Amino acid sequence: IAKQMLEQVLGELQPLCTAEQQFVEKFFQLSQDTADLQVLEVSVRTMSSPVPLARQCPSPFNSLPFFFVLKRLEEPTTQLLSKIFSCLEPELRGFLDVCNKVHPFGCLQVLVTLNDSIFEMWGSSSALPSSFLNAVLGNMLLLAKSSFNKCIGTLCKEIEEAKMPSKMKGGILPSVSRFEEFVNFSEEVFRTARRRGELDKAHLRLASSVFSSINSLSSANLKVNTDMVMMENFHHIHCFLCQKKIHCLEGKKKEAKERYSEHMEKYVIKYLGQPLEKLNHFFEGVKARVAQGVKEEEVSFQLAYSKQELRKVIEKYPGKEVKRALEALYRKIHKYLSPEENLLPVVWHAMEQEFIRQYQEFEDLIQRCYEGSGIAMDFTMEDLLSYFNSITLSN
């Protein structure tokens, strides 16, 4: 509603101010040399911008040329119009304040409406090339940009300083949802906008704030695994940005995917140590001895890593117990992963691959360091694959 009202106000102001300016210049014989104004504008643009003149769009948004044109208007025409419309700028300022307060992100609609209106006026055959109204609206545009930047700064601070919910058990963080809400709203507002440079800058600022907010989880006292929460949130951001296809955020989309993969790997490795914890601990010790210079064939003569000690550890992990431990692990992951992200199949497959890798590493170390001992784990690779397959099918 505020957007429609602002468009209506600007639409009615244009013919009124243009007609008044034309009357004043004609009645008081104050007509300015339009050609001189255009030459002045062109020459200033050429000096102030590295972009070739042929590629530049005639626009009042280039602040330096607009300032010079405004200076030329500080003559009788502008003096008269400023007195006639003395209440125009204060009233517009008040009206913009109201529009900004109608919606938390109302400043976006104000910015787009002003941008588009000035573009239309500049290209209109009925509008004077340096009209009084353009000068006033130029000031309003600066005010709108200031309000927009202030809004983005406040939102960035809100996202970065957002505190974790006291009963947070996982799922999408409030800061991520807030970022998503802003992007959805702003993209709709700017969908038909003539320019979006300000919005692209805002998107990058907000994305950096969201990433910073997620990174701060590493020092938070969560009741669940931190890597799991970070994995889910970076995955959510990556999927969201894939859907929105915002060019300026391609780098952030790539970064989100990298961070999601990184934390999933950490999450999988940390949790996979639990089903075979003592076996993991035993073989980590074996690898450490070999790294220290102990020959592989002599590791079994180390008291803590003798054949007898290895058999004791292996006996603690019969096939049935391993399967039961994997089932418990699956239930735990299922309990804490948020269903909205649907990451359970992905995480479970990653865990299966990591478990297989660990099993093959254990088998290899037994062959190298305990060759000819006849020692083997109670379950085979085929057994392990059947455990995972059975758990997947039954859930």
Side-chain angles (χ1 to χ4, degrees):
I1 296 176
K3 180 176 182 293
Q4 295 173 349
M5 291 179 63
L6 181 56
E7 288 175 343
Q8 182 179 350
V9 168
L10 296 177
E12 293 180 4
L13 276 177
Q14 181 187 352
L16 175 65
C17 291
T18 299
E20 192 67 22
Q21 179 173 336
Q22 290 173 333
F23 169 77
V24 166
E25 291 179 346
K26 183 177 180 181
F27 186 84
F28 293 103
Q29 298 182 354
L30 299 174
S31 297
Q32 301 182 31
D33 189 344
T34 301
D36 288 346
L37 285 173
Q38 291 175 335
V39 168
L40 173 63
E41 183 186 357
V42 168
S43 64
V44 175
R45 276 209 186 103
T46 305
M47 291 186 294
S48 65
S49 173
V51 181
L53 182 62
R55 291 171 53 193
Q56 295 185 33
C57 173
S59 161
F61 300 112
N62 298 317
S63 57
L64 189 56
F66 196 51
F67 171 77
F68 272 83
V69 171
L70 189 57
K71 277 297 183 182
R72 282 292 306 272
L73 280 173
E74 289 298 341
E75 294 173 356
T77 300
T78 301
Q79 293 175 15
L80 281 173
L81 290 172
S82 296
K83 291 179 180 179
I84 294 172
F85 295 106
S86 60
C87 65
L88 179 58
E89 189 164 327
E91 289 292 337
L92 277 175
R93 286 176 179 270
F95 184 62
L96 294 187
D97 285 340
V98 173
C99 292
N100 288 335
K101 293 175 182 178
V102 170
H103 188 278
F105 300 140
C107 56
L108 277 75
Q109 294 177 322
V110 170
L111 181 61
V112 170
T113 304
L114 279 172
N115 264 329
D116 290 350
S117 294
I118 297 179
F119 262 117
E120 289 172 6
M121 287 183 192
W122 196 258
S124 172
S125 58
S126 62
L128 297 180
S130 55
S131 71
F132 168 77
L133 181 59
N134 274 346
V136 173
L137 293 186
N139 292 334
M140 295 302 100
L141 183 60
L142 292 177
L143 182 65
K145 287 183 178 181
S146 177
S147 298
F148 176 76
N149 290 331
K150 186 181 296 184
C151 171
I152 299 304
T154 301
L155 187 55
C156 285
K157 186 177 181 180
E158 174 189 329
I159 289 174
E160 291 172 5
E161 297 179 357
K163 294 183 179 180
M164 296 298 303
S166 57
K167 297 182 180 180
M168 181 74 181
K169 293 184 178 180
I172 305 308
L173 299 170
S175 58
V176 174
S177 300
R178 187 70 167 147
F179 170 72
E180 187 175 349
E181 175 191 357
F182 175 84
V183 171
N184 281 329
F185 179 82
S186 62
E187 284 297 312
E188 180 60 27
V189 172
F190 277 76
R191 182 168 51 85
T192 58
R194 307 240 182 165
R195 47 181 279 156
R196 51 174 292 143
E198 298 291 332
L199 180 62
D200 287 343
K201 293 176 184 177
H203 279 340
L204 287 169
R205 284 182 65 189
L206 288 167
S208 296
S209 294
V210 170
F211 279 47
S212 175
S213 175
I214 299 175
N215 290 334
S216 67
L217 288 176
S218 58
S219 59
N221 297 319
L222 298 181
K223 295 182 179 180
V224 292
N225 183 271
T226 302
D227 286 310
M228 182 196 74
V229 180
M230 297 176 83
M231 170 189 70
E232 286 194 314
N233 280 273
F234 278 119
H235 175 266
H236 184 84
I237 291 176
H238 176 256
C239 292
F240 175 70
L241 294 181
C242 285
Q243 175 190 359
K244 303 308 291 187
K245 298 178 180 178
I246 301 173
H247 180 70
C248 70
L249 293 178
E250 283 297 310
K252 290 296 182 182
K253 182 178 74 174
K254 181 180 178 181
E255 183 182 349
K257 184 177 181 180
E258 292 172 351
R259 298 299 304 279
Y260 147 64
S261 300
E262 171 192 339
H263 288 289
M264 184 173 72
E265 182 179 351
K266 290 181 179 179
Y267 178 58
V268 167
I269 291 175
K270 180 173 181 178
Y271 271 72
L272 266 181
Q274 295 177 359
L276 304 176
E277 184 175 1
K278 293 181 179 179
L279 264 176
N280 271 286
H281 181 71
F282 184 90
F283 284 112
E284 284 297 323
V286 170
K287 289 190 290 183
R289 292 299 184 275
V290 173
Q292 291 168 3
V294 178
K295 293 181 180 180
E296 292 180 348
E297 60 270 19
E298 295 178 0
V299 170
S300 61
F301 296 106
Q302 301 276 319
L303 184 60
Y305 301 101
S306 65
K307 298 174 185 177
Q308 184 178 359
E309 289 299 317
L310 176 57
R311 289 191 179 95
K312 287 181 181 179
V313 176
I314 287 178
E315 286 175 359
K316 297 180 183 294
Y317 295 99
K320 291 182 179 179
E321 289 299 321
V322 171
K323 182 180 180 182
R324 189 176 294 114
L326 288 174
E327 289 172 341
L329 178 61
Y330 184 92
R331 289 194 296 271
K332 187 173 184 179
I333 297 170
H334 182 270
K335 178 180 178 181
Y336 289 113
L337 282 178
S338 58
E340 294 82 7
E341 292 306 297
N342 195 32
L343 282 176
L344 180 58
V346 179
V347 172
W348 187 242
H349 178 71
M351 287 194 161
E352 179 180 0
Q353 296 302 306
E354 179 62 20
F355 207 104
I356 290 171
R357 186 198 65 77
Q358 288 187 9
Y359 178 88
Q360 291 173 333
E361 183 181 37
F362 296 162
E363 285 282 284
D364 181 59
L365 286 169
I366 291 173
Q367 291 297 322
R368 285 160 45 199
C369 301
Y370 301 90
E371 185 179 3
S373 65
I375 300 176
M377 285 185 280
D378 185 65
F379 54 95
T380 64
M381 176 67 77
E382 288 73 21
D383 293 332
L384 187 58
L385 292 172
S386 69
Y387 299 159
F388 275 97
N389 187 49
S390 174
I391 293 171
T392 303
L393 292 176
S394 61
N395 288 278

